[in-house]
Amino acid sequence: MSTRRPLIAGNWKMHKTVAEAESFIQQLLPLVYAAEAVDLAICPPFTALAAMVDSARGSRVQVFAQNMHQAQAGAFTGEISAPMLTEIDVDGVILGHSERRELCGESDRGIALKLAAALDAGLEPILCVGESEAERERGETERKLRHQVQEGLAKVETERLGEVAIAYEPIWAIGTGTVAEPEQAQEAAVFIRALVASRSPEQAGRVRILYGGSVTPENAASLLALADIDGALVGGASLDARAFAAIVAAAAPA
Ligand code: PGA
């Protein structure tokens, strides 16, 4: 059993108005009140961040953004910076989600800059990595993960590597209902941890590796029981307070 605290993060993507987010959090708070051994975060759209921070204040629920820009400020229309997030007490940020890599052209180099800026600002980053179906079929999973992890962490000081959470999210499992087999998730997590260990074995023991991709209350326990999986990044199932709370409960060590 590892000493790493499990982290369950709900990535709402482009879902929920402020009113819907309010109703979710009021439903969630009593359901997760007792889950003391688990860290949990919700990642609403930018427009609902401030309201969620206020509603979750004093609870065990943290609030993360889904993206940010690496610069402090500047001529970047449509972007949000780390100081804007910390000003309203946002706790962390998802970086390099595959949808942003694919749909918004995010690169490993850009993500590396964002990761360093997030840590500097005191935000807890979740770095997302994962291979496509074609890459897995071609036997290129490790090559892809090596590239994404090494490049993504390139600007993080060695002694701070353990502060980053890394979400292994195979693209073929995201939003498809096809969850990775536990062996596939564990194998990828071991590989990712070894990549961190090549820089610092000590930090590799601290870094939390999450699994993401079609996590549900039904399959969460078998994934969260894996030795090197320290939590989950949950998309669709995080939109429902009961389903999300059930996944949080599955992460609590027996
Ligand atoms: P999903 O999304 O749980 O809906 O598959 C996961 C994610 O994109 O982070």
Side-chain angles (χ1 to χ4, degrees):
M1 189 85 216
S2 94
T3 53
R4 296 178 292 270
R5 269 176 77 82
L7 169 62
I8 306 294
N11 174 14
W12 287 358
K13 311 190 180 184
M14 198 173 72
H15 292 286
K16 293 196 193 291
T17 61
V18 174
E20 289 164 349
E22 281 292 357
S23 127
F24 173 98
I25 193 87
Q26 296 314 331
Q27 216 189 329
L28 181 73
L29 289 177
L31 297 175
V32 296
Y33 184 73
E36 281 174 10
V38 183
D39 288 341
L40 60 149
I42 54 165
C43 316
F46 287 129
T47 47
L49 284 173
M52 288 303 91
V53 167
D54 281 345
S55 297
R57 210 180 291 282
S59 79
R60 307 193 37 268
V61 177
Q62 294 189 297
V63 179
F64 283 29
Q66 298 174 14
N67 177 40
M68 56 165 245
H69 194 276
Q70 63 271 23
Q72 303 271 308
F76 302 107
T77 302
E79 294 288 339
I80 299 276
S81 71
M84 294 171 185
L85 297 174
T86 54
E87 182 193 29
I88 59 165
D89 292 337
V90 167
D91 301 291
V93 60
I94 298 174
L95 294 173
H97 190 280
S98 62
E99 285 152 15
R100 294 204 56 84
R101 292 177 187 263
E102 203 173 323
L103 306 172
C104 308
E106 290 210 13
S107 67
D108 288 313
R109 290 182 88 161
I111 292 161
L113 296 172
K114 292 181 178 200
L115 203 50
L119 284 173
D120 280 351
L123 290 165
E124 187 179 333
I126 300 177
L127 168 66
C128 300
V129 299
E131 81 288 359
S132 67
E133 187 169 17
E135 286 162 339
R136 178 164 281 269
E137 276 167 8
R138 289 199 300 266
E140 291 173 5
T141 298
E142 294 197 345
R143 184 166 160 265
K144 177 75 173 285
L145 294 178
R146 183 181 303 113
H147 203 77
Q148 290 184 323
V149 172
Q150 287 180 343
E151 289 256 322
L153 297 176
K155 299 202 176 297
V156 178
E157 295 155 57
T158 302
E159 60 276 16
R160 298 196 70 181
L161 285 170
E163 296 172 43
V164 182
I166 303 175
Y168 169 61
E169 298 206 302
I171 296 168
W172 45 270
I174 295 177
T176 59
T178 304
V179 66
E181 294 296 331
E183 305 74 51
Q184 293 173 317
Q186 170 64 13
E187 196 179 37
V190 166
F191 182 72
I192 291 167
R193 202 176 296 286
L195 292 170
V196 179
S198 68
R199 284 185 57 189
S200 165
E202 188 199 333
Q203 297 297 317
R206 286 180 57 207
V207 82
R208 291 191 287 193
I209 299 178
L210 318 182
Y211 167 79
S214 298
V215 175
T216 62
E218 291 71 37
N219 62 31
S222 62
L223 292 157
L224 294 167
L226 298 166
D228 284 276
I229 296 292
D230 309 310
L233 184 55
V234 186
S238 74
L239 295 171
D240 179 83
R242 282 182 185 285
F244 188 59
I247 294 169
V248 172

